[in-house]
Structure formats: C-alpha cells, structure tokens
Amino acid sequence: MNVSGKMSLYRLPPLPTIREIIQLYNLRAEKQLSQNFLLDLRLTDKIVRKAGNLKNHYACEVGPGPGGLTRAILNCGVEELLVVEKDTRFIPGLKMLNDASMGKVRIVHGDILTYRMDRAFPNHLRKAWEDDPPNVHIIGNLPFNVSTPLIVKWFEEIANRTGPFSYGRTQMTLTFQHEVAERMIAPVGNKQRSRLSIMTQYLCNVKHCFSIPGRAFVPKPEVDVGVVHFTPLIQPRIEQPFKLVEKVVQSVFHFRRKYCYRGISMLFPEVQRTKLTEQMLTLANVEPTLRPPDLSMKHFQGLCNAYSELCNKDPNLFAYNFREELRQKRLHDTPTQESDVGR
Ligand code: SAM
C-alpha cells in the first residue's frame, strides 16, 4: 500500500472552529493548569512546520486542550497522534477529532509528568542512538507551570536514553515563556546564560524557531512565548552521569555574579573546601576569577570531569550537599535563637 501517497491527500473534514468548541463544551481556561489557548491556525500550522516533515510519524502532543495545534498536526499526515491531557473537560472535543481523523488520535487522560513514554509507540520505530532521529516527535504548547520541570526530566531521559528517548534521538518542538527559551539558547557571555543553557546545550542541538506574542493566546498571558526545537546529540558535550553534571552546574551558578570558584567551593565540605576547590580548578584548567556566565561548554566539561575524578578518590564526596548542611545548621540554630528571645 502506498501509505505516503494516501497521507498526502489527507485533510481533516470541515469541523466547528476552536472558538465554537470552546463555547460548545463551556471550556473556560483554568489558571491552575496554565491554560492559554492558541486559536490562530496560521500560528498552529507554523509550529508544526518547524517540527519538520511529520508524514507517517508517530507524534505525541502534550496538553492538546481544545485541539487547535492537534488539528494542525493531524493535517500533516501523521500515522498516529498520542495526546496527553490532564483536564477531563477537553476529552469530548478530542474524541470528536479522533472520529474526524478516522481513529488517528490516541487519547490519554493523564499527567505528562508521570506518563510512561517508553512504551507509548510501536517497537518497530526504535532506532539506534547513532542513527537518524526516529519517526517519533513530541510537540506541545506547554503549560507554563510544568514546562521547566518537564524539560529537565526529559533532559535526564535523553542522558539515560529512557522514556521517549528509548526510541532513539526523538525530536521535540515545544513552547516556553520567551525568557526561558532565551536562557536555553544563551551562548557564553550572554546575560541570559544560566543553568538551563548548559543543561540544554550539553545534550541537544537547540533552536529558538520564532516567538509568538502573548496577545495571540486566549486568555493573554503576561509574557511572550518562544517555540524551541530540540534534537538530542549523538555524543553529549559532557560525558558524565546526568546527576553529576546537574550538581556541578547548579553549584557553579549558585553565585551567578561572583567569581566561579565561589560556587564551585560549595561542592565540598567546609574542612576540605579550599584544598579541593583549588584541585578541581587546576584539574579542569579553569581560571577561578571567571564568572559563571563566561564559562564555556569546554570549561563545564573540564569541571565535571575533575569533580568526577575527585569523587572517585573519595566515594563520600558526591553525597555532600551544602544546601542540606545549611538547612541542618538553621534547624540547629533555631532553638538557640528562641531561647535567646525567651531569656
Ligand atoms: N494545546 C492547546 C493550545 O495550544 O491551545 C492548549 C495549551 S495550554 C497552554 C496547556 C494545556 O496543557 C491545557 O490543555 C492543560 O489542561 C494541559 N495540561 C496542564 N498541565 C498538564 C499536565 N501535567 N499533563 C498534561 N496536560 C496538562
């Protein structure tokens, strides 16, 4: 059967507009679920175009809501579209799209943060990591309140080749608050350079495709939105376990405006702090007076390798967490302060 020929002719039949669907099912936007709907079909089509050729692909849409972006995805001839939506009110409208597309929509009523994507698609789609990306694509106009935890979870799954990345280097086209998108792509020395820049760029080729003004959404959010495309790298730019990279990057950026040695020193217990910080900087060949936003990916690679080496020498080191130490100190200090007040 010539599937691609058949698909290219495929368009959804005439349907009520998204505005009519919203009225029909009385779908008032819920603030707690970060609901901002995109009703402009030119914009939903543009997001889908940035995902590349989806013909015969298996796509997963996060938070389809009333289905604007869902229609645009279906119109480009996907083989199957899995939608994961937390709010039950949208399910009847999504069922209507499933009927209109002759059963192409698989509806999951659930939470994307816990949904297991490692078994979501047929096995024959799995590809070797070094191969081209598989015919699986994740798309979504993400709810703002879950977008950062969700992408960090997916970064960890990229590093471990689990979840949607057990199928290979699954690509993603997702929306974020404009400022978050800027942080993801920020190069060395940029004022948006942050933890998220390093975590994104060490694992993915990332592209900020275009921005959508807040006024394009209903209701209008306070901020503009950036559409970002991710392709996992064959070879991560830092070859250390995700948790180790996350810990080093988090410590370095803890004192964003100070010299980098300050944040790096927080990786070590007080008694060894000076000695081990010096050792780590020497091993990594990093100038202690560079500021975190001025550290390149090569610097982070050196720092993570150096920290790994120090952790190998002292297996208790990785468990050290200065935030936990600080918390314990505060807990310990409180009764003294109270008794001072009581005196
Ligand atoms: N895709 C629609 C659009 O572009 O008009 C709606 C986008 S709206 C910004 C976010 C959607 O994600 C809402 O439909 C909301 O109910 C859903 N959502 C929020 N939290 C979710 C979660 N944890 N898992 C799945 N869906 C969620």
Side-chain angles (χ1 to χ4, degrees), residues 49-52 155 171-176 180-182 184-186 200-201 204-211 226-232 237:
R49 274 202 306 279
K50 295 295 174 190
F155 287 157
Q171 294 177 289
M172 305 184 277
T173 308
L174 305 166
T175 61
F176 295 90
V180 176
E182 291 282 285
M184 286 180 172
I185 58 154
T200 308
Q201 295 167 29
C204 294
N205 270 331
V206 59
K207 195 169 162 220
H208 184 181
C209 305
F210 67 101
S211 294
V227 178
V228 183
H229 185 269
F230 304 84
T231 309
R237 296 193 167 100

Side-chain angles (χ1 to χ4, degrees), residues 33-38 61 63-65 85-86 111-112 141 143:
L33 288 176
S34 285
Q35 292 176 346
N36 304 99
F37 307 135
L38 199 45
E61 187 191 356
E85 173 56 63
K86 196 170 178 180
D111 186 333
I112 192 64
N141 174 21

Side-chain angles (χ1 to χ4, degrees), residues 156-312:
E156 182 162 9
E157 292 182 339
I158 290 177
N160 298 332
R161 303 181 187 181
T162 55
F165 310 98
S166 60
Y167 289 86
R169 294 183 300 121
T170 298
Q171 294 177 289
M172 305 184 277
T173 308
L174 305 166
T175 61
F176 295 90
Q177 293 183 40
H178 189 262
E179 192 195 311
V180 176
E182 291 282 285
R183 278 195 255 140
M184 286 180 172
I185 58 154
V188 185
N190 187 286
K191 69 174 193 298
Q192 300 287 354
R193 183 87 160 173
S194 64
R195 256 164 74 180
L196 203 52
S197 326
I198 312 303
M199 299 311 286
T200 308
Q201 295 167 29
Y202 103 81
L203 289 163
C204 294
N205 270 331
V206 59
K207 195 169 162 220
H208 184 181
C209 305
F210 67 101
S211 294
I212 307 178
R215 68 182 131 77
F217 296 85
V218 179
K220 175 180 171 300
E222 304 276 300
V223 290
D224 292 343
V225 165
V227 178
V228 183
H229 185 269
F230 304 84
T231 309
L233 290 163
I234 294 179
Q235 187 119 26
R237 296 193 167 100
I238 302 174
E239 294 198 79
Q240 292 294 343
F242 181 86
K243 289 290 182 208
L244 184 143
V245 180
E246 191 179 42
K247 189 174 179 197
V248 171
V249 174
Q250 191 174 42
S251 289
V252 171
F253 278 99
H254 189 75
F255 297 103
R256 203 175 182 284
R257 290 164 202 271
K258 303 248 161 70
Y259 292 148
C260 69
Y261 77 79
R262 188 71 206 283
I264 291 167
S265 71
M266 301 322 268
L267 287 164
F268 307 111
E270 222 165 320
V271 279
Q272 300 163 286
R273 195 161 278 163
T274 310
K275 191 181 96 196
L276 291 181
T277 306
E278 260 172 38
Q279 272 185 25
M280 179 157 157
L281 285 160
T282 309
L283 279 171
N285 197 17
V286 169
E287 279 296 317
T289 53
L290 283 171
R291 293 186 200 269
D294 296 327
L295 294 174
S296 66
M297 191 55 78
K298 203 107 204 118
H299 286 135
F300 276 101
Q301 191 187 73
L303 289 170
C304 292
N305 291 343
Y307 183 58
S308 163
E309 204 175 314
L310 295 173
C311 290
N312 286 340

Side-chain angles (χ1 to χ4, degrees), residues 106-123:
R106 186 148 55 95
I107 304 167
V108 170
H109 172 224
D111 186 333
I112 192 64
L113 287 166
T114 50
Y115 180 67
R116 294 276 308 263
M117 249 204 266
D118 49 351
R119 289 184 297 234
F121 310 103
N123 269 329

Side-chain angles (χ1 to χ4, degrees), residues 321-334:
N321 179 337
F322 84 92
R323 285 164 208 266
E324 185 52 28
E325 190 178 76
L326 216 66
R327 205 178 66 84
Q328 292 294 339
K329 260 193 191 152
R330 283 204 192 110
L331 276 178
H332 199 69
D333 285 350
T334 315

